[in-house]
Amino acid sequence: VVEAYKQGLSPAVGYELNPWLLCLANYRAWKAGYHGKVSFLKKDLWKVNLSDCYNVIVFLAPSVKPPLAAKLLAELPDEARVVAGRFPFPSWTPTSTLGQGLEQVWAYDMKEVRRTAQSSAEGSPI
């Protein structure tokens, strides 16, 4: 979240349910001088409406990616970009990638993800 803010994305908001990780995130933001500039909220990502988000960054386990992909497809606008760290979305084709190994990230433009998904659905037999 801090890095997103440094790159000019605002508002920069993170969601976390684990109180220890929430405290750690707030502490690190404060220590880096970004207290009040970024936010970490104790909210369930599955219950947050993401329809007004244009930049989403996720660091989640591979098992969570398929249900998250469905949520993002349903809620994000076409102009949104999703960046996944550590693990890609298995059914999406990235627009770009950066890094290697544990430092690799995958970027997905929602308009392209939807176009590819629609093309696949049209080409599949019923």
Side-chain angles (χ1 to χ4, degrees):
V1 175
V2 170
E3 188 58 37
Y5 180 82
K6 288 181 188 178
Q7 298 299 320
L9 301 178
S10 182
V13 180
Y15 300 112
E16 178 58 61
L17 281 177
N18 182 316
W20 294 105
L21 293 177
L22 189 64
C23 284
L24 180 61
N26 279 308
Y27 171 74
R28 287 183 175 169
W30 171 80
K31 189 173 179 183
Y34 291 94
H35 178 73
K37 297 175 183 171
V38 300
S39 302
F40 295 95
L41 306 175
K42 185 177 181 184
K43 290 195 175 184
D44 186 338
L45 178 62
W46 302 107
K47 295 177 182 175
V48 174
N49 183 335
L50 301 173
S51 62
D52 63 346
C53 295
Y54 289 88
N55 295 284
V56 175
I57 303 165
V58 295
F59 292 92
L60 296 169
S63 62
V64 180
K65 295 291 174 75
L68 181 59
K71 176 178 175 59
L72 297 175
L73 278 168
E75 295 181 11
L76 291 179
D78 276 348
E79 301 79 20
R81 173 168 265 200
V82 175
V83 176
R86 296 261 169 101
F87 305 105
F89 283 88
S91 61
W92 292 2
T93 302
T95 306
S96 61
T97 63
L98 181 66
Q100 296 178 21
L102 294 178
E103 301 298 319
Q104 187 168 3
V105 296
W106 295 261
Y108 307 90
D109 292 331
M110 290 309 295
K111 189 172 190 174
E112 185 62 24
V113 168
R114 286 190 178 100
R115 188 187 67 72
T116 303
Q118 185 176 20
S119 295
S120 296
E122 290 172 358
S124 64
I126 296 177

